[in-house]
Amino acid sequence: MSEPELPPPQSHLQEAASRFGAHVLAAAAARACDIDAATGGPPRVPSSPAPPAVPAPAPTPLLTPAAQVPAPGAGLERILRGPSGLGTAGLRLILREQPPTPSDPPADTAEGTPVPGLYYHPVPEPDPVRVEEVGRRIKSWALDEVSLYPDDWEEEFDGFSVGRYMVACHPDAPTVDHLMIATRLMVAENAVDDCYCEDHGGSPVGLGERLLLAHTALDPLYTTQEYQPQWAKSLHADAPRRAYRSAMEYFVRAASPSQADRLRHDMARLHMGYLAEAAWAQLDHVPEVWEYLAMRQFNNFRPCPTITDTVGGYELPADLHAQPGMQKVIALAGNATTIVNDLYSYTKELDTPGQHLNLPVVIAEREGLSERDAYLKSVEVHNDLMHDFEREASALAEACPAPDVQRFLRGVAAWVDGNHYWHRTNTYRYSLPDFW
């Protein structure tokens, strides 16, 4: 069964006009943030900033410095509520299909046990109607459109609970169609990881070739007429390439050229991280802790929060996305969420053959700590990254009050919290070590 498609792309003239308008808006937003719109350079410090031409209500602070962060529930409410006042309703993280309703900070009622001592924000339970529909559609896509897995993998696919994952991570997605943009990409990335690197036939041997050829499903090959058909045929050669090709086709129909190129860049970063980890596996080498964290800045969840605006149905202009401050916030979000994965998947990875690198394993080996102490120190590393993420996001929100920047930062924060929610509640996949 084919899925409902997003509206067809604009004509070339319409798209050109739209891009011109976006450029003007980006330049205006850059001026509001005191950024060089031509270069996307870091903010300048003006000696005497001019008052805004049109008075606007002051936005509610997006985040508070980590030293002042209150209880998790209140912290999440502050992150998501957004600005207040006349004309700001569209900037809040609400589902457009539902009217905004006031609510108290969510109670921490999610199933599963959180890692003791972990700094996180609880999130509301994802809308079960959306969860079910996303789950139905993604399974139909996996089976009918890309032949992603054989019958004996069905239980594992269902146990991944990707619908619950994506609905929790993207609370501002206007429609299920928008949620599916992220869901297909998430499943495709997981297929590449499993089939090329990890559980289902993955190997570090020859990984570079497999990743390069798969990357051409995201970043098309432009070659001669004689060889183009061979490349096009190769995109259907295995499940990861079929999934990448299809997921990217859906994505580019919804995204601007800038958003699509941004994703390609972050996917190249991801693949580079895969290769570093594979090199260590081939050498049976345990890196230094800082080296492992460097690898994890590339081999991490970064492609997911970086598309939060596409999934939300808007665009953070390229000039603003490229700011060093925004890039740092996105990197810290990816780093923190990936250490969450290290912590919750720790016992699962210990059960796999050979040595599987994760932060507790590397700290234990390199710093001579017990498994328990290394795990507890990894919790501290995660918490430090989370506090840094919130401090940097807060500073950027204050320095750059442009509406799209505020909304994007809230979207990234929601993704961080939704990612923890999914890891915590996915008891099919994860269980905690007995260290307490």
Side-chain angles (χ1 to χ4, degrees), residues 82-345:
S84 59
L86 183 64
T88 62
L91 306 182
R92 301 191 191 98
L93 269 181
I94 56 173
L95 303 180
R96 295 183 191 172
E97 294 169 343
Q98 302 173 357
T101 55
S103 61
D104 294 326
D108 193 2
T109 59
E111 64 184 69
T113 303
V115 172
L118 194 76
Y119 177 68
Y120 72 96
H121 300 293
V123 303
E125 285 294 314
D127 177 359
V129 175
R130 282 193 162 195
V131 169
E132 182 178 359
E133 179 62 11
V134 171
R136 183 193 67 79
R137 289 197 196 184
I138 194 60
K139 194 166 185 179
S140 175
W141 173 79
L143 294 174
D144 301 335
E145 292 193 43
V146 298
S147 300
L148 187 67
Y149 60 86
D151 291 344
D152 57 349
W153 292 7
E154 183 174 11
E155 180 183 349
E156 187 171 344
F157 183 86
D158 292 342
F160 195 83
S161 301
V162 68
R164 201 176 192 201
Y165 197 173
M166 293 297 96
V167 176
C169 285
H170 294 286
D172 70 335
T175 68
V176 172
D177 283 340
H178 287 80
L179 283 167
M180 287 302 300
I181 295 166
T183 308
R184 292 186 205 92
L185 286 167
M186 168 61 78
V187 170
E189 291 162 25
N190 195 64
V192 169
D193 191 24
D194 278 352
C195 297
Y196 285 0
C197 308
E198 303 253 359
D199 301 343
H200 296 298
S203 168
V205 179
L207 180 60
E209 177 190 14
R210 295 193 297 276
L211 286 177
L212 174 65
L213 296 179
H215 194 81
T216 67
L218 307 172
D219 201 348
L221 174 66
Y222 301 106
T223 187
T224 64
Q225 186 174 359
E226 178 182 358
Y227 299 109
Q228 192 79 14
Q230 297 174 48
W231 164 73
K233 184 178 179 181
S234 77
L235 299 182
H236 301 268
D238 59 20
R241 279 183 275 187
R242 290 193 298 271
Y244 262 5
R245 178 198 58 78
S246 177
M248 194 66 181
E249 285 181 355
Y250 279 101
F251 181 78
V252 298
R253 287 207 291 269
S256 72
S258 174
Q259 288 171 316
D261 197 55
R262 178 204 306 171
L263 176 62
R264 293 185 186 104
H265 188 183
D266 279 349
M267 291 302 292
R269 284 177 162 130
L270 175 67
H271 295 158
M272 185 163 63
Y274 286 168
L275 292 174
E277 188 172 19
W280 291 332
Q282 284 187 282
L283 297 171
D284 195 24
H285 173 69
V286 177
E288 297 288 347
V289 176
W290 73 265
E291 293 174 326
Y292 176 82
L293 292 171
M295 180 273 292
R296 273 314 218 175
Q297 182 159 311
F298 294 85
N299 177 4
N300 75 8
F301 288 114
R302 182 179 181 135
C304 302
T306 205
I307 65 169
T308 188
D309 54 339
T310 308
V311 181
Y314 68 100
E315 180 177 7
L316 177 68
D319 290 344
L320 299 179
H321 182 268
Q323 289 183 69
M326 182 64 77
Q327 289 296 300
K328 186 174 184 179
V329 166
I330 296 170
L332 285 167
N335 293 349
T337 53
T338 304
I339 301 308
V340 163
N341 180 264
D342 277 11
L343 294 168
Y344 279 95
S345 65

Side-chain angles (χ1 to χ4, degrees), residues 21-71:
H23 176 76
V24 173
L25 290 174
R31 287 194 296 273
C33 301
D34 197 36
I35 298 162
D36 186 340
T39 65
R44 301 182 302 277
V45 180
S47 55
S48 179
V54 180
T60 303
L62 176 71
L63 299 164
T64 52
Q68 302 173 21
V69 172

